[in-house]
């Protein structure tokens, strides 16, 4: 990365903030180097708190943060949705002349099989300049950046216009019902004057050679429609199979799903995304990306384009068969067989219309379809001021690297806020290559100490710019 540029940017920015903001003159000086070292130690400790979901046990993480906030004199509360499922909400007050900003992060992590890892996944060990452990990227590293922002604002006594809120949630990895979903449903007053939620999903993306930064801000996501299929049949002894067998019916129907591809559809957010990244693509692809909708009408290009899994998921509803169950006994023909489907819908799709289409594909009226999880469209309302602040950083630090609005095939907690009309943008100023980003949910998840350190001041600048100016 370009450290010199970053430094110059920070100096200019600080000088400018001092000049225009009267509150800044009374501030205490902050030792940023010490804050960076503190952040590294805190992330290591935080990773050691095992919040694998299920069961989550996020209360331990919430207590970890509560202790820090209490010590710093920052008002904070733990909100439990269920025993053990803690959420943490801390708030720094401004003068109320601007709307509040929520810095959102989830405290739960996905499971990690220690046998497959080079370092134990909950060790938080720091070795060769790298912090190891489940959550280093998703999303405990993010939480520490947000924590340091709050601490830096508080310790410097910065005069804020809008309140700044730190929100750590439970249960995101399992859909968020015990976390952000619970808070938005039961405690909406906590967000009543919130004008922006900053969350995961976007970052400063570098090519694998560490070059060509682009600032990626996630503004929209596909939505899940998780389904359970149940096929009924005549039960009996495995020695005397009949013609109406649950497992056979289910397998036949699933086979029809495997042959099915939902039609290609390019929604505006996706069209825009590919147009924005076109310039960074090899020459041959550029003209296709600039107008993806038209290009995909060419069947040869469509086949080529959708060979890539991310591309494919961006332009159609997808169905992944993720589980099948019949009898527990090898010699018993069960009365029911079930399957679970992870369906992901493009923005603007109606779940009921999709289910009607799926019914036709299954071509078996006896199979029951149940919804396990479904929620409405998740496109953010625009927030031009936040986009401008990020663009200014891209200009100053990376010579005007493009700021690209992206579209996520996976979902985050953002949709809970977007559904309530609160803009939610996915961005963190961490500089990651695709292979680093790919460690999310994978084996040997880890984060470089230098990258964490360099993102601390950047995160602070984004939030303070929005809350102070
Ligand atoms: Zn996450």
């Amino acid at each position: 990365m370009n450290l010199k540029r970053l430094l110059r940017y920070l100096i200019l920015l600080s000088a400018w903030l001092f000049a225009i903001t009267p509150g800044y003159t009374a501030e205490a000086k902050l030792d940023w180097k010490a804050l960076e070292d503190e952040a590294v130690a805190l992330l290591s400790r935080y990773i050691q708190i095992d919040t694998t979901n299920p069961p989550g046990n996020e209360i331990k993480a919430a207590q970890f943060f509560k202790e820090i906030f209490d010590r710093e004199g920052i008002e904070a509360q733990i909100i439990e949705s269920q025993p053990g499922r803690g959420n943490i909400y801390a708030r720094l007050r401004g003068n109320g002349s601007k709307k509040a900003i929520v810095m959102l992060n989830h405290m739960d992590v996905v499971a990690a099989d220690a046998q497959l890892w080079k370092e134990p996944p909950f060790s938080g060990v720091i070795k060769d300049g790298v912090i190891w452990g489940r959550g280093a990227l998703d999303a405990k590293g993010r939480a520490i950046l947000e924590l340091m922002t709050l601490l830096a604002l508080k310790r410097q006594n910065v005069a804020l216009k809008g309140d700044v809120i730190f929100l750590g949630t439970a249960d995101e990895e399992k859909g968020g019902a015990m976390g952000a979903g619970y808070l938005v449903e039961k405690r909406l007053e906590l967000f009543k004057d919130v004008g922006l939620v900053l969350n995961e999903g976007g970052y400063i993306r570098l090519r694998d050679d560490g070059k060509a930064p682009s600032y990626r801000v996630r503004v929209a996501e596909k939505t899940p429609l998780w389904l359970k299929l149940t096929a009924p049949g005549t039960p009996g002894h495995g020695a005397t199979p009949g013609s109406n067998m649950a497992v056979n019916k289910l397998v036949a129907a699933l086979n029809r799903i495997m042959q099915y591809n939902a039609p290609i559809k390019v929604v505006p957010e996706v069209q825009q995304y590919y147009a924005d990244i076109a310039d960074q693509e090899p020459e041959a692809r550029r003209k296709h990306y600039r107008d993806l909708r038209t290009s995909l009408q060419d069947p040869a290009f469509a086949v080529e384009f959708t060979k890539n899994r991310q591309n494919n998921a961006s332009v159609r509803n997808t169905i992944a068969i993720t589980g099948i169950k019949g009898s527990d006994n090898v010699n018993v023909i069960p009365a029911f067989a079930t399957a679970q489907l992870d369906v992901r819908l493009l923005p603007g799709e109606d779940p009921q219309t999709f289910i009607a289409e799926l019914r036709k594909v299954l071509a078996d009226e006896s199979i029951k379809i149940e919804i396990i999880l479904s929620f409405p469209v998740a496109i953010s309302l625009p927030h031009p001021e936040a986009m401008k602040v990020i663009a200014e950083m891209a200009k100053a630090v990376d010579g005007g690297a493009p700021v690209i609005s992206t579209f996520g095939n996976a979902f985050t907690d953002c949709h809970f806020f977007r559904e309530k009309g609160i803009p939610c943008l996915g961005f963190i100023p961490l500089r990651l290559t695709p292979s680093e980003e790919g460690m999310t949910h994978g084996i040997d998840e880890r984060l470089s100490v230098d990258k964490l350190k360099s993102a601390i001041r950047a995160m602070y600048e984004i939030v303070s710019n929005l809350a102070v100016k």
Side-chain angles (χ1 to χ4, degrees):
M1 70 169 282
N2 195 335
L3 269 176
K4 245 195 223 143
R5 259 214 160 98
L6 177 67
L7 212 67
R8 196 160 6 115
Y9 165 67
L10 294 174
I11 292 165
L12 278 172
L13 194 87
S14 321
W16 178 77
L17 280 172
F18 272 102
I20 63 141
T21 318
Y24 265 62
T25 50
E27 277 165 22
K29 255 193 133 20
L30 190 74
D31 180 348
W32 287 95
K33 279 241 28 70
L35 195 78
E36 287 172 6
D37 293 337
E38 191 181 349
V40 173
L42 283 170
L43 178 56
S44 168
R45 271 179 58 205
Y46 185 25
I47 287 171
Q48 292 169 47
I49 303 170
D50 183 349
T51 49
T52 302
N53 183 14
N57 270 329
E58 297 90 345
I59 189 73
K60 291 180 295 173
Q63 282 157 352
F64 165 80
F65 286 116
K66 179 79 163 53
E67 257 169 47
I68 297 169
F69 292 131
D70 286 350
R71 200 175 57 220
E72 301 279 332
I74 296 171
E75 65 171 271
Q77 51 176 314
I78 292 175
I79 302 162
E80 266 183 296
S81 53
Q82 259 182 13
R85 310 306 302 271
N87 298 275
I88 179 89
Y89 177 95
R91 187 159 189 150
L92 269 187
R93 304 272 170 187
N95 66 15
S97 61
K98 278 187 98 171
K99 286 193 160 189
I101 299 169
V102 170
M103 300 185 293
L104 176 62
N105 64 84
H106 62 85
M107 301 187 291
D108 61 320
V109 295
V110 294
D113 182 350
Q115 301 200 324
L116 303 174
W117 285 55
K118 289 203 190 82
E119 300 292 339
F122 296 100
S123 64
V125 67
I126 303 167
K127 218 167 138 181
D128 306 324
V130 171
I131 309 171
W132 286 76
R134 174 61 83 222
L137 293 163
D138 183 21
K140 290 183 169 174
R142 176 181 184 92
I144 294 301
L145 292 179
E146 296 179 347
L147 171 69
M148 299 337 271
T149 292
L150 210 65
L151 298 189
L153 289 169
K154 170 72 178 170
R155 289 176 186 173
Q156 295 175 102
N157 213 4
V158 174
L160 298 171
K161 288 186 172 168
D163 295 5
V164 179
I165 297 163
F166 174 99
L167 178 63
T169 58
D171 200 33
E172 191 271 347
E173 298 291 359
K174 285 275 165 193
M178 292 296 118
Y182 175 89
L183 295 172
V184 163
E185 281 318 307
K186 307 278 187 204
R187 302 290 306 275
L188 191 57
E189 81 278 2
L190 294 172
F191 311 107
K192 108 175 169 296
D193 58 347
V194 170
L196 174 67
V197 176
L198 279 175
N199 189 26
E200 63 184 341
Y203 55 101
I204 303 172
R205 185 181 191 264
L206 306 170
R207 270 194 327 233
D208 266 326
D209 62 7
K211 298 199 175 91
S214 58
Y215 285 53
R216 301 190 171 214
V217 184
R218 194 189 282 188
V219 298
E221 285 161 4
K222 280 179 102 172
T223 55
L225 173 64
W226 293 351
L227 301 175
K228 181 181 174 191
L229 306 183
T230 306
T234 309
H237 197 293
T240 52
S243 59
N244 181 41
M245 302 212 297
V247 174
N248 296 18
K249 283 161 73 177
L250 184 69
V251 168
L254 293 178
N255 194 41
R256 289 189 281 275
I257 289 178
M258 286 164 60
Q259 310 302 321
Y260 171 78
N261 261 329
I264 286 180
K265 202 182 268 184
V266 182
V267 301
E269 291 75 17
V270 170
Q271 175 92 340
Q272 186 62 48
Y273 167 70
Y274 282 95
D276 285 349
I277 63 166
D279 282 344
Q280 297 169 318
E281 292 294 314
E283 185 68 46
R285 258 183 236 159
R286 275 182 213 163
K287 77 171 183 358
H288 293 299
Y289 278 25
R290 284 196 188 112
D291 185 359
L292 191 63
R293 200 171 289 137
T294 310
S295 300
L296 283 171
Q297 285 162 11
D298 168 8
F301 175 73
V303 167
E304 191 52 41
F305 179 81
T306 55
K307 269 186 196 156
N308 175 293
R309 291 155 60 155
Q310 295 292 338
N311 287 346
N312 182 56
S314 299
V315 295
R316 55 166 43 117
N317 301 325
T318 56
I319 309 172
I321 303 166
T322 54
I324 308 175
K325 193 168 178 348
S327 170
D328 287 329
N329 301 305
V330 72
N331 60 350
V332 173
I333 296 169
F336 295 99
T338 60
Q340 60 192 29
L341 306 183
D342 182 354
V343 174
R344 303 296 174 118
L345 300 179
L346 292 166
E349 296 288 289
D350 171 36
Q352 289 307 329
T353 309
F354 183 85
I355 289 172
E357 175 67 21
L358 184 66
R359 247 211 189 293
K360 284 190 229 154
V361 177
L362 291 173
D364 185 338
E365 281 303 314
S366 72
I367 294 178
K368 195 168 89 186
I369 304 176
E370 284 168 276
I371 296 176
I372 302 168
L373 178 77
S374 171
F375 54 69
V377 180
I379 301 172
S380 181
L381 286 169
H383 197 287
E385 192 192 355
M387 296 303 275
K388 189 165 160 253
V389 166
I390 293 168
E392 276 164 7
M393 181 171 278
K395 191 170 166 205
V397 181
D398 285 299
V403 179
I404 294 166
S405 294
T406 69
F407 170 88
N409 289 321
F411 66 92
T412 67
D413 273 343
C414 261
H415 72 94
F416 292 115
F417 298 92
R418 289 170 179 163
E419 281 156 32
K420 299 291 177 192
I422 302 172
C424 184
L425 300 180
F427 184 71
I428 192 166
L430 262 180
R431 308 174 75 86
L432 301 174
T433 62
S435 29
E436 285 172 315
E437 211 270 333
M439 291 185 298
T440 298
H441 290 203
I443 298 161
D444 294 337
E445 184 176 346
R446 59 198 186 273
L447 176 60
S448 123
V449 167
D450 285 345
K451 290 196 176 197
L452 177 76
K453 284 182 171 179
S454 78
I456 288 169
R457 188 72 189 264
M459 185 76 194
Y460 172 82
E461 296 301 345
I462 290 171
V463 173
S464 62
N465 260 293
L466 290 166
V468 170
K469 277 204 227 162

